[in-house]
Coordinates of all heavy atoms in Angstrom, one line a residue:
L62 N 5.7 28.6 34.7 CA 5.1 29.6 33.8 C 5.8 29.7 32.5 O 5.2 29.7 31.4 CB 5.0 30.9 34.5 CG 4.4 32.1 33.8 CD1 2.9 31.9 33.6 CD2 4.7 33.4 34.5
R63 N 7.1 29.8 32.6 CA 8.0 29.9 31.4 C 8.7 28.6 31.0 O 9.5 28.6 30.1 CB 9.0 31.0 31.5 CG 8.4 32.3 31.8 CD 8.0 33.0 30.6 NE 7.4 34.3 30.9 CZ 6.6 34.9 30.1 NH1 6.2 34.4 28.9 NH2 6.1 36.1 30.4
F64 N 8.5 27.5 31.8 CA 9.2 26.3 31.6 C 9.0 25.7 30.3 O 10.0 25.3 29.6 CB 8.9 25.3 32.8 CG 9.6 24.0 32.7 CD1 10.9 23.9 33.0 CD2 8.9 22.9 32.3 CE1 11.6 22.7 32.9 CE2 9.6 21.7 32.2 CZ 10.9 21.6 32.5
R65 N 7.8 25.5 29.9 CA 7.5 24.8 28.6 C 8.0 25.5 27.4 O 8.7 24.8 26.6 CB 6.0 24.6 28.5 CG 5.5 23.8 27.4 CD 4.1 23.5 27.4 NE 3.6 23.2 26.1 CZ 2.4 23.4 25.7 NH1 1.4 23.8 26.6 NH2 2.0 23.1 24.5
P66 N 7.9 26.8 27.2 CA 8.4 27.4 25.9 C 10.0 27.3 25.9 O 10.6 27.1 24.9 CB 7.9 28.8 25.9 CG 7.0 29.0 27.0 CD 7.0 27.7 27.9
I67 N 10.6 27.5 27.1 CA 12.1 27.4 27.1 C 12.5 26.0 26.8 O 13.5 25.8 26.0 CB 12.6 27.9 28.5 CG1 12.3 29.4 28.7 CG2 14.0 27.6 28.7 CD1 12.5 29.9 30.1
L68 N 11.9 25.0 27.4 CA 12.3 23.7 27.2 C 12.0 23.2 25.7 O 12.9 22.6 25.1 CB 11.5 22.8 28.1 CG 11.9 21.3 28.2 CD1 13.4 21.2 28.7 CD2 11.0 20.5 29.0
M69 N 10.9 23.6 25.2 CA 10.6 23.2 23.8 C 11.6 23.8 22.8 O 12.0 23.1 21.8 CB 9.1 23.7 23.4 CG 8.1 22.8 24.1 SD 6.4 23.4 23.9 CE 6.3 23.5 22.1
T70 N 11.9 25.1 23.0 CA 12.9 25.7 22.1 C 14.2 25.0 22.1 O 14.9 24.7 21.1 CB 13.1 27.2 22.5 OG1 11.8 27.8 22.4 CG2 14.0 27.9 21.5
T71 N 14.7 24.7 23.3 CA 16.0 24.0 23.4 C 16.0 22.6 22.9 O 16.9 22.2 22.2 CB 16.5 24.0 24.9 OG1 16.5 25.4 25.4 CG2 17.8 23.5 25.1
V72 N 14.9 21.9 23.2 CA 14.8 20.5 22.7 C 14.8 20.5 21.2 O 15.5 19.6 20.5 CB 13.6 19.8 23.3 CG1 13.3 18.5 22.6 CG2 13.9 19.6 24.8
C73 N 14.1 21.4 20.5 CA 14.1 21.4 19.1 C 15.5 21.7 18.5 O 15.9 21.2 17.5 CB 13.1 22.5 18.6 SG 11.4 22.0 18.8
A74 N 16.2 22.7 19.1 CA 17.5 23.0 18.7 C 18.5 21.8 18.9 O 19.3 21.5 18.0 CB 18.0 24.2 19.4
I75 N 18.3 21.1 20.0 CA 19.2 19.9 20.2 C 18.9 18.8 19.2 O 19.8 18.2 18.6 CB 19.0 19.4 21.6 CG1 19.6 20.3 22.6 CG2 19.6 18.0 21.8 CD1 19.4 20.0 24.1
F76 N 17.6 18.6 18.9 CA 17.3 17.6 17.9 C 17.8 18.0 16.5 O 18.1 17.1 15.7 CB 15.8 17.3 17.8 CG 15.2 16.5 19.0 CD1 13.9 16.6 19.4 CD2 16.1 15.6 19.6 CE1 13.4 15.8 20.4 CE2 15.6 14.8 20.7 CZ 14.3 14.9 21.1
G77 N 17.8 19.3 16.2 CA 18.4 19.7 15.0 C 19.9 19.5 14.9 O 20.5 19.4 13.8
A78 N 20.6 19.5 16.0 CA 22.0 19.4 16.0 C 22.5 18.0 16.2 O 23.7 17.7 16.1 CB 22.6 20.3 17.1
V79 N 21.6 17.1 16.6 CA 22.0 15.7 16.8 C 22.6 15.0 15.6 O 23.6 14.3 15.7 CB 20.8 14.8 17.3 CG1 21.1 13.3 17.2 CG2 20.6 15.2 18.8
P80 N 22.2 15.3 14.3 CA 22.8 14.7 13.2 C 24.3 15.1 13.0 O 25.1 14.4 12.5 CB 22.0 15.1 12.0 CG 20.7 15.3 12.5 CD 20.9 15.9 13.9
L81 N 24.6 16.4 13.5 CA 26.0 16.8 13.5 C 26.8 16.1 14.5 O 28.0 15.7 14.3 CB 26.1 18.3 13.8 CG 25.7 19.2 12.6 CD1 25.8 20.7 13.1 CD2 26.7 19.1 11.5
A82 N 26.2 15.8 15.7 CA 27.0 15.2 16.8 C 27.1 13.7 16.7 O 28.1 13.2 17.2 CB 26.2 15.5 18.1
A83 N 26.3 13.1 15.9 CA 26.3 11.6 15.8 C 26.3 11.2 14.3 O 25.4 10.7 13.8 CB 25.2 11.0 16.5
P84 N 27.4 11.5 13.6 CA 27.5 11.2 12.2 C 27.4 9.7 11.9 O 27.0 9.3 10.8 CB 28.8 11.8 11.7 CG 29.6 11.8 12.9 CD 28.7 12.1 14.1
A85 N 27.9 8.8 12.8 CA 27.8 7.4 12.6 C 26.4 6.9 12.5 O 26.1 5.9 11.8 CB 28.6 6.7 13.7
V86 N 25.5 7.6 13.2 CA 24.1 7.1 13.2 C 23.3 7.8 12.1 O 22.5 7.2 11.4 CB 23.5 7.3 14.6 CG1 22.0 6.9 14.6 CG2 24.3 6.6 15.6
F87 N 23.4 9.1 12.0 CA 22.5 9.9 11.2 C 23.2 10.4 9.9 O 22.6 10.2 8.8 CB 22.0 11.1 11.9 CG 21.1 10.7 13.1 CD1 21.6 10.9 14.4 CD2 19.9 10.2 12.9 CE1 20.8 10.5 15.5 CE2 19.1 9.9 14.0 CZ 19.5 10.0 15.3
G88 N 24.3 11.0 10.0 CA 24.9 11.6 8.8 C 26.2 10.9 8.4 O 27.2 10.9 9.1
T89 N 26.1 10.2 7.2 CA 27.2 9.4 6.8 C 27.8 10.0 5.5 O 28.5 9.3 4.8 CB 26.8 8.0 6.6 OG1 25.8 7.9 5.6 CG2 26.4 7.3 7.9
G90 N 27.6 11.3 5.2 CA 28.1 11.9 4.0 C 29.6 12.2 4.1 O 30.3 11.9 5.1
D91 N 30.1 12.7 3.0 CA 31.5 13.1 3.0 C 31.8 14.2 4.0 O 31.1 15.2 4.1 CB 31.9 13.6 1.6 CG 31.9 12.5 0.6 OD1 32.0 11.3 1.0 OD2 31.7 12.8 -0.6
G92 N 32.8 14.0 4.8 CA 33.3 15.0 5.8 C 32.4 15.0 7.1 O 32.5 16.0 7.8
A93 N 31.6 14.0 7.3 CA 30.7 14.0 8.5 C 31.5 14.0 9.7 O 31.2 14.6 10.7 CB 29.7 12.9 8.4
E94 N 32.6 13.2 9.7 CA 33.5 13.1 10.9 C 34.2 14.4 11.2 O 34.6 14.7 12.4 CB 34.5 12.0 10.8 CG 35.5 12.2 9.7 CD 35.1 11.9 8.3 OE1 34.0 11.3 8.1 OE2 35.9 12.1 7.4
L95 N 34.3 15.3 10.3 CA 34.9 16.6 10.5 C 33.9 17.6 11.2 O 34.4 18.5 11.9 CB 35.4 17.3 9.2 CG 36.5 16.5 8.5 CD1 36.9 17.2 7.2 CD2 37.8 16.4 9.4
R96 N 32.7 17.4 11.0 CA 31.7 18.2 11.7 C 31.2 17.7 13.0 O 30.4 18.4 13.7 CB 30.5 18.4 10.7 CG 30.8 19.2 9.5 CD 29.5 19.4 8.7 NE 28.9 18.2 8.1 CZ 29.2 17.7 7.0 NH1 30.1 18.2 6.2 NH2 28.6 16.6 6.6
Q97 N 31.6 16.5 13.4 CA 31.2 16.0 14.7 C 31.6 16.8 15.9 O 30.8 17.0 16.8 CB 31.8 14.5 14.8 CG 31.3 13.9 16.1 CD 31.8 12.5 16.3 OE1 32.7 12.0 15.5 NE2 31.3 11.7 17.2
P98 N 32.8 17.3 16.0 CA 33.1 18.2 17.2 C 32.3 19.4 17.3 O 31.9 19.8 18.4 CB 34.6 18.6 16.9 CG 35.2 17.5 16.0 CD 34.0 17.1 15.2
L99 N 31.9 20.0 16.1 CA 31.0 21.1 16.1 C 29.6 20.7 16.7 O 29.0 21.4 17.5 CB 30.8 21.7 14.7 CG 29.7 22.7 14.5 CD1 30.1 24.0 15.2 CD2 29.4 23.0 13.0
G100 N 29.1 19.6 16.3 CA 27.8 19.1 16.8 C 27.8 18.8 18.3 O 26.9 19.2 19.0
I101 N 28.9 18.2 18.7 CA 29.1 18.0 20.2 C 29.1 19.3 20.9 O 28.5 19.4 22.0 CB 30.3 17.1 20.4 CG1 30.1 15.7 19.8 CG2 30.6 17.0 21.9 CD1 31.3 14.8 19.9
A102 N 29.8 20.2 20.4 CA 29.9 21.5 21.1 C 28.6 22.2 21.1 O 28.2 22.8 22.2 CB 31.0 22.4 20.5
V103 N 27.8 22.2 20.1 CA 26.5 22.8 20.0 C 25.5 22.2 21.0 O 24.8 22.8 21.7 CB 26.0 22.8 18.5 CG1 24.5 23.2 18.5 CG2 26.8 23.7 17.7
V104 N 25.5 20.8 21.0 CA 24.6 20.1 21.9 C 25.0 20.4 23.3 O 24.1 20.6 24.2 CB 24.5 18.6 21.5 CG1 23.8 17.8 22.6 CG2 23.9 18.4 20.2
G105 N 26.2 20.3 23.6 CA 26.7 20.6 25.0 C 26.4 22.0 25.4 O 26.0 22.2 26.6
G106 N 26.6 22.9 24.6 CA 26.3 24.3 24.9 C 24.8 24.6 25.1 O 24.4 25.3 26.0
L107 N 24.0 23.9 24.3 CA 22.5 24.1 24.5 C 22.1 23.5 25.8 O 21.2 24.0 26.5 CB 21.8 23.4 23.3 CG 21.8 24.2 22.0 CD1 21.3 23.3 20.9 CD2 21.0 25.4 22.1
I108 N 22.6 22.3 26.2 CA 22.2 21.7 27.4 C 22.7 22.6 28.6 O 21.9 22.8 29.5 CB 22.8 20.3 27.5 CG1 22.1 19.4 26.5 CG2 22.7 19.7 29.0 CD1 22.8 18.0 26.4
L109 N 23.9 23.1 28.5 CA 24.4 24.0 29.6 C 23.6 25.3 29.7 O 23.2 25.7 30.8 CB 25.9 24.3 29.4 CG 26.5 25.2 30.5 CD1 26.5 24.5 31.8 CD2 27.9 25.6 30.1
S110 N 23.3 25.9 28.6 CA 22.5 27.1 28.6 C 21.1 26.8 29.1 O 20.5 27.7 29.7 CB 22.5 27.8 27.2 OG 21.8 27.0 26.3
Q111 N 20.5 25.7 28.8 CA 19.2 25.3 29.3 C 19.2 25.2 30.8 O 18.3 25.8 31.4 CB 18.8 24.0 28.7 CG 17.5 23.5 29.2 CD 16.3 24.2 28.7 OE1 16.3 24.8 27.7 NE2 15.2 24.2 29.5
L112 N 20.2 24.6 31.4 CA 20.3 24.5 32.8 C 20.5 25.9 33.5 O 19.8 26.2 34.5 CB 21.4 23.6 33.2 CG 21.3 22.1 32.8 CD1 22.5 21.3 33.2 CD2 20.1 21.5 33.5
L113 N 21.3 26.7 32.9 CA 21.5 28.1 33.4 C 20.2 28.9 33.3 O 19.9 29.7 34.2 CB 22.7 28.7 32.7 CG 24.1 28.2 33.0 CD1 25.1 28.9 32.2 CD2 24.4 28.4 34.5
T114 N 19.5 28.8 32.2 CA 18.3 29.5 32.0 C 17.2 29.1 33.0 O 16.5 29.9 33.6 CB 17.8 29.3 30.6 OG1 18.8 29.8 29.6 CG2 16.5 30.1 30.3
L115 N 17.1 27.8 33.2 CA 16.1 27.3 34.2 C 16.5 27.7 35.6 O 15.6 27.8 36.4 CB 16.0 25.8 34.0 CG 15.3 25.3 32.7 CD1 15.3 23.8 32.7 CD2 13.9 25.9 32.6
Y116 N 17.7 28.0 35.9 CA 18.1 28.4 37.2 C 17.9 29.9 37.3 O 17.4 30.4 38.4 CB 19.6 28.1 37.5 CG 20.1 28.6 38.8 CD1 19.7 28.1 40.0 CD2 20.9 29.7 38.8 CE1 20.1 28.5 41.2 CE2 21.4 30.2 40.1 CZ 20.9 29.6 41.2 OH 21.4 30.1 42.4
T117 N 18.3 30.7 36.3 CA 18.3 32.2 36.5 C 16.9 32.8 36.3 O 16.6 33.8 36.8 CB 19.3 32.8 35.5 OG1 19.0 32.5 34.2 CG2 20.7 32.4 35.8
T118 N 16.1 32.2 35.5 CA 14.7 32.8 35.2 C 13.9 33.0 36.5 O 13.4 34.1 36.8 CB 14.0 32.0 34.2 OG1 14.7 31.9 33.0 CG2 12.6 32.6 33.9
P119 N 13.8 31.9 37.4 CA 13.1 32.2 38.6 C 13.7 33.2 39.5 O 13.1 34.0 40.2 CB 13.0 30.8 39.3 CG 13.3 29.8 38.2 CD 14.1 30.5 37.2
V120 N 15.1 33.2 39.5 CA 15.8 34.2 40.3 C 15.4 35.6 39.9 O 15.2 36.5 40.7 CB 17.3 33.9 40.3 CG1 18.1 35.1 41.0 CG2 17.6 32.6 40.9
V121 N 15.4 35.9 38.6 CA 15.1 37.2 38.1 C 13.7 37.6 38.4 O 13.4 38.7 38.8 CB 15.3 37.2 36.6 CG1 14.8 38.5 35.9 CG2 16.8 37.1 36.3
Y122 N 12.7 36.6 38.3 CA 11.3 36.9 38.7 C 11.2 37.2 40.1 O 10.4 38.2 40.5 CB 10.4 35.7 38.3 CG 10.0 35.8 36.9 CD1 10.5 34.9 35.9 CD2 9.1 36.7 36.4 CE1 10.1 34.9 34.6 CE2 8.7 36.7 35.1 CZ 9.2 35.8 34.2 OH 8.8 35.9 32.9
V123 N 11.9 36.5 41.0 CA 11.8 36.8 42.4 C 12.4 38.2 42.7 O 11.8 39.0 43.5 CB 12.6 35.7 43.2 CG1 12.8 36.2 44.7 CG2 11.8 34.4 43.2
L124 N 13.5 38.5 42.1 CA 14.1 39.9 42.3 C 13.2 41.0 41.8 O 13.0 42.0 42.5 CB 15.5 40.0 41.7 CG 16.6 39.1 42.3 CD1 17.9 39.2 41.5 CD2 16.8 39.5 43.7
M125 N 12.6 40.8 40.7 CA 11.7 41.8 40.1 C 10.4 41.9 41.0 O 10.0 43.0 41.3 CB 11.2 41.4 38.7 CG 12.4 41.6 37.7 SD 12.0 41.0 36.1 CE 10.5 41.8 35.7
D126 N 9.9 40.8 41.6 CA 8.8 40.9 42.5 C 9.2 41.6 43.8 O 8.4 42.4 44.3 CB 8.3 39.5 42.8 CG 7.1 39.5 43.7 OD1 6.1 40.2 43.3 OD2 7.1 38.9 44.7
R127 N 10.4 41.4 44.3 CA 10.8 42.1 45.5 C 11.0 43.6 45.2 O 10.6 44.4 46.1 CB 12.1 41.5 46.0 CG 11.9 40.2 46.7 CD 13.2 39.7 47.3 NE 13.0 38.3 47.9 CZ 13.9 37.6 48.5 NH1 15.1 38.1 48.6 NH2 13.6 36.5 49.0
M128 N 11.5 43.9 44.1 CA 11.6 45.4 43.7 C 10.3 46.0 43.6 O 10.1 47.1 44.1 CB 12.4 45.5 42.4 CG 13.9 45.4 42.6 SD 14.8 45.8 41.1 CE 14.6 44.4 40.1
R129 N 9.3 45.3 43.0 CA 8.0 45.9 42.9 C 7.3 46.1 44.2 O 6.7 47.1 44.5 CB 7.1 44.9 42.0 CG 5.7 45.4 41.8 CD 4.9 44.5 41.0 NE 4.7 43.2 41.7 CZ 3.8 42.9 42.6 NH1 2.9 43.8 42.9 NH2 3.7 41.7 43.1
T130 N 7.5 45.0 45.1 CA 6.9 45.1 46.4 C 7.6 46.3 47.2 O 6.9 47.0 47.9 CB 7.1 43.8 47.2 OG1 6.5 42.8 46.4 CG2 6.5 43.8 48.6
A131 N 8.9 46.4 47.1 CA 9.6 47.5 47.8 C 9.1 48.9 47.3 O 9.0 49.8 48.1 CB 11.1 47.3 47.6
T132 N 8.9 49.0 46.0 CA 8.5 50.3 45.5 C 7.1 50.6 45.9 O 6.7 51.8 46.1 CB 8.7 50.4 44.0 OG1 8.0 49.4 43.4 CG2 10.1 50.4 43.6
L133 N 6.2 49.6 46.0 CA 4.8 49.8 46.4 C 4.8 50.2 47.9 O 3.9 51.0 48.3 CB 4.0 48.6 46.2 CG 3.7 48.2 44.7 CD1 2.9 46.9 44.7 CD2 2.9 49.3 44.1
L134 N 5.7 49.7 48.7 CA 5.7 50.0 50.1 C 6.5 51.2 50.4 O 6.5 51.7 51.5 CB 6.3 48.8 50.9 CG 5.5 47.5 50.9 CD1 6.2 46.4 51.6 CD2 4.1 47.7 51.4
G135 N 7.2 51.7 49.4 CA 8.0 53.0 49.6 C 9.4 52.7 50.2 O 10.1 53.7 50.5
G136 N 9.8 51.5 50.3 CA 11.1 51.2 50.9 C 12.1 51.0 49.8 O 11.8 50.8 48.6
A137 N 13.4 51.1 50.2 CA 14.5 50.9 49.2 C 15.2 49.6 49.4 O 16.2 49.4 48.8 CB 15.4 52.1 49.3
R138 N 14.8 48.8 50.4 CA 15.4 47.5 50.6 C 14.8 46.5 49.7 O 13.8 45.9 50.1 CB 15.3 47.2 52.1 CG 16.1 48.2 52.9 CD 15.9 47.7 54.4 NE 16.6 48.8 55.1 CZ 17.5 48.5 56.0 NH1 17.8 47.3 56.3 NH2 18.1 49.5 56.7
W139 N 15.5 46.2 48.6 CA 14.9 45.3 47.6 C 15.1 43.8 48.0 O 14.3 43.0 47.8 CB 15.6 45.5 46.3 CG 15.3 46.8 45.7 CD1 14.4 47.7 46.1 CD2 15.9 47.4 44.6 NE1 14.4 48.8 45.3 CE2 15.4 48.7 44.4 CE3 16.9 46.9 43.7 CZ2 15.8 49.5 43.3 CZ3 17.3 47.8 42.7 CH2 16.8 49.0 42.5
F140 N 16.2 43.6 48.6 CA 16.6 42.2 48.8 C 16.4 41.7 50.3 O 16.7 40.5 50.6 CB 18.1 42.0 48.5 CG 18.4 42.5 47.1 CD1 19.1 43.7 46.9 CD2 18.0 41.8 46.0 CE1 19.4 44.1 45.6 CE2 18.2 42.2 44.7 CZ 18.9 43.4 44.5
A141 N 16.0 42.5 51.1 CA 15.7 42.1 52.5 C 14.3 41.6 52.7 O 13.4 42.2 52.2 CB 15.9 43.3 53.4
A142 N 14.2 40.5 53.4 CA 12.9 39.9 53.6 C 12.1 40.7 54.6 O 10.9 41.0 54.5 CB 13.0 38.5 54.1
K143 N 12.8 41.2 55.6 CA 12.2 42.1 56.6 C 13.0 43.4 56.7 O 14.3 43.3 56.5 CB 12.1 41.4 58.0 CG 11.2 40.2 58.0 CD 11.2 39.6 59.4 CE 10.3 38.4 59.4 NZ 10.3 37.8 60.8
A144 N 12.4 44.4 57.1 CA 13.2 45.7 57.3 C 14.0 45.5 58.6 O 13.5 45.2 59.6 CB 12.3 46.9 57.4
R145 N 15.3 45.7 58.5 CA 16.2 45.6 59.6 C 16.4 47.0 60.2 O 16.5 48.0 59.4 CB 17.5 45.0 59.2 CG 17.3 43.6 58.7 CD 18.7 42.9 58.3 NE 18.4 41.6 57.7 CZ 19.1 41.2 56.7 NH1 20.0 41.9 56.1 NH2 18.8 40.0 56.2
P146 N 16.6 47.1 61.5 CA 16.9 48.4 62.0 C 18.3 48.9 61.6 O 19.2 48.1 61.5 CB 16.8 48.2 63.5 CG 17.0 46.7 63.7 CD 16.5 46.1 62.5
V147 N 18.4 50.2 61.4 CA 19.6 50.8 61.1 C 20.4 51.1 62.3 O 19.9 51.8 63.2 CB 19.4 52.1 60.2 CG1 20.7 52.7 59.9 CG2 18.6 51.8 59.0
L148 N 21.6 50.5 62.5 CA 22.4 50.7 63.6 C 23.2 52.0 63.5 O 23.7 52.3 62.4 CB 23.3 49.5 63.9 CG 22.6 48.2 64.1 CD1 23.7 47.1 64.1 CD2 21.8 48.2 65.3
P149 N 23.3 52.8 64.6 CA 24.1 54.0 64.5 C 25.5 53.7 64.3 O 26.1 52.7 64.9 CB 23.8 54.7 65.8 CG 23.4 53.6 66.7 CD 22.7 52.6 65.9
T150 N 26.2 54.5 63.5 CA 27.7 54.3 63.3 C 28.4 55.2 64.3 O 28.0 56.2 64.7 CB 28.0 54.7 61.9 OG1 27.7 56.1 61.7 CG2 27.3 53.8 60.8
P151 N 29.6 54.7 64.7 CA 30.3 55.5 65.7 C 30.9 56.8 65.0 O 31.1 56.8 63.8 CB 31.5 54.5 66.1 CG 31.5 53.5 65.1 CD 30.2 53.4 64.4
A152 N 31.0 57.8 65.8 CA 31.6 59.0 65.3 C 33.0 58.8 64.9 O 33.7 57.9 65.4 CB 31.5 60.1 66.4
A153 N 33.5 59.7 64.0 CA 34.9 59.6 63.5 C 35.9 59.7 64.6 O 37.0 59.1 64.6 CB 35.1 60.6 62.4
S154 N 35.6 60.5 65.6 CA 36.5 60.7 66.8 C 36.6 59.5 67.7 O 37.6 59.3 68.4 CB 36.1 61.9 67.6 OG 34.8 61.7 68.1
A155 N 35.6 58.6 67.7 CA 35.6 57.5 68.5 C 36.4 56.3 67.9 O 36.7 55.4 68.6 CB 34.1 57.0 68.8
L156 N 36.7 56.4 66.6 CA 37.4 55.3 66.0 C 38.9 55.5 66.3 O 39.4 56.6 66.5 CB 37.3 55.4 64.5 CG 35.8 55.2 64.0 CD1 35.8 55.4 62.5 CD2 35.4 53.8 64.3
P157 N 39.6 54.3 66.5 CA 41.0 54.4 66.8 C 41.8 54.9 65.6 O 41.5 54.6 64.5 CB 41.4 53.0 67.1 CG 40.4 52.1 66.5 CD 39.1 53.0 66.5
S158 N 42.8 55.7 65.9 CA 43.6 56.3 64.8 C 44.7 55.3 64.4 O 45.3 54.7 65.3 CB 44.1 57.7 65.1 OG 45.0 57.5 66.3
V159 N 45.0 55.3 63.1 CA 46.1 54.4 62.7 C 47.2 55.3 62.1 O 46.9 56.1 61.2 CB 45.5 53.4 61.6 CG1 46.6 52.5 61.1 CG2 44.4 52.6 62.2
S160 N 48.4 55.1 62.5 CA 49.5 55.9 62.0 C 50.3 54.9 61.1 O 50.6 53.8 61.5 CB 50.3 56.5 63.1 OG 50.8 55.4 64.0
L161 N 50.7 55.4 60.0 CA 51.5 54.7 59.1 C 53.0 55.0 59.2 O 53.5 56.0 59.3 CB 51.0 54.8 57.7 CG 49.6 54.4 57.4 CD1 49.2 54.7 56.0 CD2 49.5 52.9 57.7

């Protein structure tokens, strides 16, 4: 659903930064070799952020869908696939005492 616009934006930004990253091929002006590390960092950061975005976007949509479903059903368990029974907790007197 959101794959194409995210991918198109990142690819355009990477193509814009390629002349910085590869001055031997595209940019041969004065000081081009000084801007090469900047171009490599920009292209690498765009690729990493693209991978992270493509991973986190579906996760956020799934969590939002689960929250919506939980609020429609009146439950507060957002992350549980099925409602689990609540186990009773032991009384405070039944717990062993620890002396320091």
Side-chain angles (χ1 to χ4, degrees):
L62 179 68
R63 302 274 181 206
F64 178 74
R65 187 172 153 204
I67 292 171
L68 188 66
M69 287 173 56
T70 304
T71 303
V72 168
C73 288
I75 288 174
F76 283 156
V79 164
L81 282 175
V86 178
F87 296 107
T89 58
D91 292 334
E94 67 277 355
L95 296 175
R96 291 187 295 272
Q97 183 180 10
L99 172 68
I101 292 171
V103 168
V104 170
L107 285 169
I108 291 171
L109 180 65
S110 67
Q111 175 73 25
L112 293 175
L113 290 174
T114 301
L115 290 177
Y116 176 73
T117 58
T118 301
V120 171
V121 170
Y122 276 108
V123 167
L124 291 176
M125 289 173 54
D126 185 53
R127 286 187 183 177
M128 283 189 282
R129 182 183 60 88
T130 304
T132 55
L133 289 176
L134 297 176
R138 295 181 184 231
W139 296 348
F140 305 107
K143 295 181 181 178
R145 297 181 185 141
V147 178
L148 299 174
T150 58
S154 61
L156 296 175
S158 61
V159 177
S160 60
L161 298 175

